[in-house]
């Protein structure tokens, strides 16, 4: 009997999701003769009656899809089934409705593409069913535990690096300090990687405790050595590791730490500083080749796991190969930048100021 599996994308979008959906549906079709159904807007689709879902016929899945950003299925990061946000502002447990929606689809397995939060929620939701569930990690933040890479991260670094490449000449032309704020809700993976690749002078991340006076001192020092401009990359969460504490009306970690930093550096150094907040630009691009490869490898492995009768696992990338691990060893944890790790050591070796050394 032909089997049918479901796939949904959940949480913030990123580049490489369409390539992942495609890989899953193609592997299911070519490898096992299975059908694949795409569920619309993550768990939201399961609340519709009939369920908002569509068959993913291989004829629709040509390579053009692998090149496109976003997710053609749609996604949500506001759909916690256990505390679903209602129109009146209240929260309601709608997990039973979603499980009922899954039953209506008569699936033999479900693949969820999400970050740590989404995978945890989906695991809990599926725990109340007998439907085998496999998770695929995606997030530009790259902070999912037990995988060195999540889909979307490579593209985000490429975009942040390109932004630094573009800020450098304009900063140099105007003798300015250019501050680039990049995403990373709780982790500095994008900032440190783009900082190295994009030739930043200063990189501030939540994993390394930094002080504003040390950042300002580096700007002054650069000026003394003849440099009239500087390039600073700051993770959106870097306010968490700022030592010295905000004073007066300063609210570090507010909407834009980049803007705050530029303002303070102008005051403290006399150099004109300008901030750019890169924001969702980091999520919406054509995926890099690396993200497409990861999407393909993860999609194939996820289907193979279902075919092998496995469940409650996440695929991952470790030491140059695809792995899979129990979801219980992933959820509730996150993989932040190792302050003693290779990237931090590399940054220091290149003379990049992390704001923690005098
Ligand atoms: O988790 C991915 C991410 O892009 C974070 O880097 C960022 O903090 C957050 O999502 C932004 O979420 P939203 O799209 O809801 O603004």
């Amino acid at each position: 009997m032909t089997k049918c599996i479901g796939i949904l994308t959940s949480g913030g979008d990123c580049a490489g999701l369409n390539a992942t959906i495609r890989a899953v549906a193609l592997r299911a079709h070519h490898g096992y003769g299975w059908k694949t159904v795409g569920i619309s807007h993550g768990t939201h689709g399961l609340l519709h009656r009939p369920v908002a879902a569509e068959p993913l016929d291989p004829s629709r899945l040509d390579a053009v899809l692998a090149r496109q950003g976003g997710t053609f299925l749609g996604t949500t990061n506001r759909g916690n089934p256990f505390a679903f946000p209602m129109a009146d502002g209240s929260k309601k447990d709608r997990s039973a409705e979603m499980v009922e929606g899954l039953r209506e689809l008569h699936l033999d397995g479900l693949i969820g593409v999400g970050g740590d939060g989404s995978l945890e929620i989906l695991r809990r939701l599926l725990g109340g069913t007998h439907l085998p569930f496999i998770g695929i990690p995606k997030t530009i933040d790259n902070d999912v535990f037990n995988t060195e890479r999540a889909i979307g991260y490579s593209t985000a670094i490429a975009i942040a690096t390109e932004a630094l490449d573009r800020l450098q000449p304009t900063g140099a032309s105007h003798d300015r300090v250019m501050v680039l704020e990049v995403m990373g809700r709780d982790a500095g993976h994008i900032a440190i990687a783009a900082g190295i690749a994009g030739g930043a002078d200063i990189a501030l991340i939540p994993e390394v405790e930094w002080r504003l006076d040390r950042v300002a001192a580096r700007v002054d020092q650069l000026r003394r050595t003849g440099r009239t401009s500087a390039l600073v990359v700051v993770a959106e969460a870097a306010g968490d590791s700022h030592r010295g504490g905000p004073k007066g009306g300063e609210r570090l970690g507010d909407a834009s730490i980049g803007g705050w930093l530029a303002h303070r550096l102008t005051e403290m150094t006399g150099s004109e500083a300008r901030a750019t907040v890169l924001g969702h630009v980091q999520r919406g691009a054509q995926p890099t080749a690396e993200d497409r490869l990861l999407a393909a490898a993860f999609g194939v492995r996820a289907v193979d796991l279902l075919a092998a009768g496995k469940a409650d696992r996440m695929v991952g990338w470790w030491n140059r190969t695809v792995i899979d691990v129990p979801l219980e060893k992933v959820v509730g944890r996150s993989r932040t930048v190792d302050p003693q790790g290779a990237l931090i050591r590399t940054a220091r070796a290149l003379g990049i100021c992390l704001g923690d050394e005098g």
Side-chain angles (χ1 to χ4, degrees):
M1 206 176 72
T2 306
K3 291 196 173 182
C4 180
I5 61 171
I7 181 165
L8 57 79
T9 50
S10 181
D13 78 299
C14 62
L17 292 178
N18 285 324
T20 310
I21 299 162
R22 175 174 182 262
V24 163
L26 289 184
R27 179 60 177 162
H29 174 78
H30 294 308
Y32 304 101
W34 295 352
K35 293 186 186 316
T36 304
V37 166
I39 298 166
S40 182
H41 289 91
T43 46
H44 274 203
L46 297 170
L47 293 172
H48 290 255
R49 295 295 176 270
V51 170
E54 53 184 318
L56 302 180
D57 191 83
S59 62
R60 289 176 56 196
L61 304 173
D62 68 26
V64 171
L65 200 58
R67 302 187 184 107
Q68 290 171 353
T71 162
F72 77 93
L73 291 178
T75 186
T76 178
N77 56 8
R78 305 269 181 274
N80 185 345
F82 305 96
F84 195 87
M86 304 300 286
D88 65 1
S90 64
K91 298 268 166 70
K92 185 177 170 193
D93 184 346
R94 301 189 71 182
S95 56
E97 290 169 72
M98 292 185 187
V99 167
E100 184 52 39
L102 281 170
R103 274 197 205 105
E104 278 195 13
L105 290 174
H106 301 291
L107 300 175
D108 298 291
L110 180 74
I111 293 173
V113 192
D116 51 350
S118 296
L119 293 178
E120 183 166 10
I121 284 170
L122 287 168
R123 179 175 191 252
R124 190 171 158 207
L125 184 72
L126 272 288
T129 73
H130 294 296
L131 191 60
F133 174 66
I134 302 292
I136 295 180
K138 67 87 216 159
T139 166
I140 65 166
D141 296 358
N142 203 35
D143 57 354
V144 178
F145 203 68
N146 263 323
T147 182
E148 289 169 346
R149 283 280 183 274
I151 292 163
Y153 173 57
S154 161
T155 307
I157 301 174
I159 294 165
T161 301
E162 189 187 334
L164 288 169
D165 291 349
R166 289 172 184 235
L167 289 171
Q168 190 278 329
T170 174
S173 304
H174 286 265
D175 299 340
R176 283 172 171 161
V177 176
M178 303 305 285
V179 176
L180 177 70
E181 178 184 316
V182 297
M183 278 187 168
R185 196 188 332 244
D186 306 303
H189 293 286
I190 298 175
I192 196 68
I196 294 170
D201 300 297
I202 297 162
L204 305 175
I205 62 172
E207 295 86 345
V208 174
E209 202 174 83
W210 57 278
R211 281 177 31 177
L212 185 60
D213 58 345
R214 294 193 166 151
V215 177
R218 175 54 64 96
V219 171
D220 286 338
Q221 186 209 352
L222 286 170
R223 206 168 33 197
R224 282 198 301 279
T225 60
R227 279 270 299 283
T228 54
S229 65
L231 214 44
V232 182
V233 61
V234 56
E236 64 175 323
D240 295 350
S241 58
H242 171 249
R243 194 146 60 96
K247 298 174 197 66
E250 301 166 6
R251 290 194 45 224
L252 203 59
D254 227 4
S256 163
I257 188 174
W260 176 88
L261 189 61
H263 179 70
R264 292 308 318 268
L265 288 178
T266 300
E267 280 178 353
M268 293 170 78
T269 67
S271 297
E272 191 183 16
R274 291 295 173 89
T276 300
V277 180
L278 204 49
H280 293 80
V281 169
Q282 293 155 97
R283 295 205 326 215
Q286 270 204 329
T288 59
E290 186 183 340
D291 271 333
R292 297 183 210 181
L293 284 169
L294 209 56
F298 282 179
V300 167
R301 173 64 76 96
V303 175
D304 288 348
L305 285 173
L306 287 177
K310 301 278 174 50
D312 202 24
R313 300 185 74 78
M314 183 191 80
V315 301
W317 188 260
W318 206 266
N319 203 12
R320 294 179 295 166
T321 191
V322 187
I323 57 160
D324 56 273
V325 290
L327 266 169
E328 66 169 354
K329 296 204 169 150
V330 175
V331 299
R333 311 168 80 169
S334 81
R335 199 181 64 82
T336 51
V337 175
D338 177 359
Q340 319 300 333
L343 282 185
I344 295 290
R345 283 187 275 115
T346 302
R348 291 194 198 283
L350 292 177
I352 298 174
C353 166
L354 303 179
D356 61 336
E357 287 171 349

